[in-house]
């Protein structure tokens, strides 16, 4: 566990897959973690972080950005349209674009604000009722729709069902990204980032393996 151990594991997984380590970005998922742990990882030189809630990130990151140079923060959790403006100001990338209404809101705000974070489209590869994301069958049309709105779509993102082999979902996501000409693949968490790297992940979202278990107490 820890940052350097996770970096070593990423490097080994890249080597095993015949990929350059620089092809895979480690998003250290800092949600719910005590500030000391986040500061420690910043102190070790890491600069790319992930948060799943706009409110929590808004409390945490402006202060940390003042103290540490070159910080990048990605939103990896669901985004309500009424928080889109705040999210666009706070985050360098949004991994959870998952419906036409949100895409239209982001496009309107991008026009108005003159900039837009990098966007990933979340795909509900397991077609789970309770999970966010566009269905696999709707993904190509949604990518098209986002491109027509001039949104900077960089890739696809998925969170596989907990009780299924993640590799099947990673392979499906990779196939969908390829056929849509998208280079980015946001997939892989603490329990499966090595498999995700083997299947082409460009962004792994790793929380507990970097920081330790989250205490929701
Ligand atoms: C919390 C979270 C992660 C990180 O989970 P770990 O199992 O702690 O690595 C990755 N992706 C998303 C979308 C998350 O919400």
């Amino acid at each position: 566990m820890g940052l350097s151990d996770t970096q070593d594991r990423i490097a080994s997984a890249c080597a095993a897959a015949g990929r350059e380590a620089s092809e895979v970005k480690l998003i250290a998922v800092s949600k719910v973690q005590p500030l000391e742990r986040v500061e420690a990882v910043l102190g070790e030189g890491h600069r790319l972080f992930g948060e799943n809630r706009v409110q929590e990130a808004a409390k945490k990151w402006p202060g940390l950005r003042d103290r540490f140079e070159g910080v990048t923060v990605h939103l990896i959790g669901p985004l309500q349209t009424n928080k889109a403006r705040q999210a666009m100001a706070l985050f360098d990338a949004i991994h959870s674009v998952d419906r036409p209404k949100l895409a239209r809101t982001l496009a309107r705000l991008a026009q108005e604000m003159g900039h837009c974070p990098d966007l990933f489209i979340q795909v509900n590869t397991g077609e789970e009722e309770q999970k966010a994301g566009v269905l696999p069958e709707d993904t190509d049309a949604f990518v098209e729709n986002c491109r027509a709105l001039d949104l900077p779509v960089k890739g696809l993102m998925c969170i596989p069902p907990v009780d299924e082999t993640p590799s099947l979902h990673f392979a499906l996501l990779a196939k969908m990204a390829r056929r849509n000409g998208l280079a980015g693949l946001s997939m892989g968490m603490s329990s499966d980032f090595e498999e995700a790297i083997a299947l082409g992940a460009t962004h792994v979202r790793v929380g507990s393996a970097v920081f330790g278990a989250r205490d929701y107490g």
Side-chain angles (χ1 to χ4, degrees):
M1 204 205 78
L3 178 66
S4 62
D5 176 60
T6 304
Q7 287 167 332
D8 289 348
R9 286 172 60 192
I10 289 172
S12 303
C14 285
R19 304 181 60 197
E20 297 291 331
S22 60
E23 291 174 43
V24 179
K25 295 206 163 54
L26 169 60
I27 301 174
V29 178
S30 46
K31 66 183 185 199
V32 186
Q33 297 288 352
L35 196 59
E36 314 83 76
R37 289 189 188 172
V38 182
E39 288 167 333
V41 168
L42 281 160
E44 287 180 83
H46 195 71
R47 289 295 180 267
L48 173 56
F49 294 83
E51 291 284 345
N52 73 333
R53 287 169 178 274
V54 177
Q55 268 351 90
E56 184 182 344
K59 281 199 203 112
K60 195 184 304 180
W61 285 101
L64 289 170
R65 282 188 198 270
D66 285 345
R67 291 168 49 208
F68 297 90
E69 236 170 280
V71 167
T72 300
V73 187
H74 290 195
L75 178 65
I76 60 170
L79 179 57
Q80 295 167 264
T81 46
N82 64 3
K83 298 227 174 78
R85 180 186 296 275
Q86 192 183 9
M88 287 176 76
L90 261 174
F91 295 103
D92 304 287
I94 296 172
H95 291 233
S96 49
V97 182
D98 64 353
R99 56 197 193 280
K101 184 177 177 211
L102 178 59
R104 287 195 300 275
T105 302
L106 292 171
R108 178 171 51 75
L109 291 169
Q111 285 284 323
E112 187 189 314
M113 298 165 85
H115 82 100
C116 188
D118 288 344
L119 302 178
F120 288 75
I121 291 170
Q122 183 173 352
V123 183
N124 186 356
T125 56
E127 307 189 25
E128 294 172 281
E129 200 83 29
Q130 79 288 2
K131 201 165 265 174
V134 292
L135 293 172
E137 70 203 43
D138 298 332
T139 300
D140 296 1
F142 188 59
V143 171
E144 198 52 42
N145 178 355
C146 290
R147 283 178 167 151
L149 290 167
D150 267 335
L151 289 172
V153 180
K154 303 294 178 181
L156 302 180
M157 177 271 221
C158 76
I159 308 171
V162 285
D163 54 355
E164 288 181 28
T165 311
S167 296
L168 298 175
H169 295 270
F170 298 155
L172 173 64
L173 197 73
K175 193 172 105 185
M176 289 192 294
R178 223 169 13 246
R179 76 171 179 240
N180 281 286
L182 290 168
L185 276 173
S186 169
M187 58 189 199
M189 320 202 323
S190 291
S191 55
D192 53 24
F193 66 85
E194 283 137 324
E195 286 114 294
I197 289 169
L199 289 162
T202 58
H203 294 71
V204 292
R205 310 178 308 267
V206 184
S208 41
V210 170
F211 293 103
R214 283 181 293 277
D215 181 2
Y216 288 95

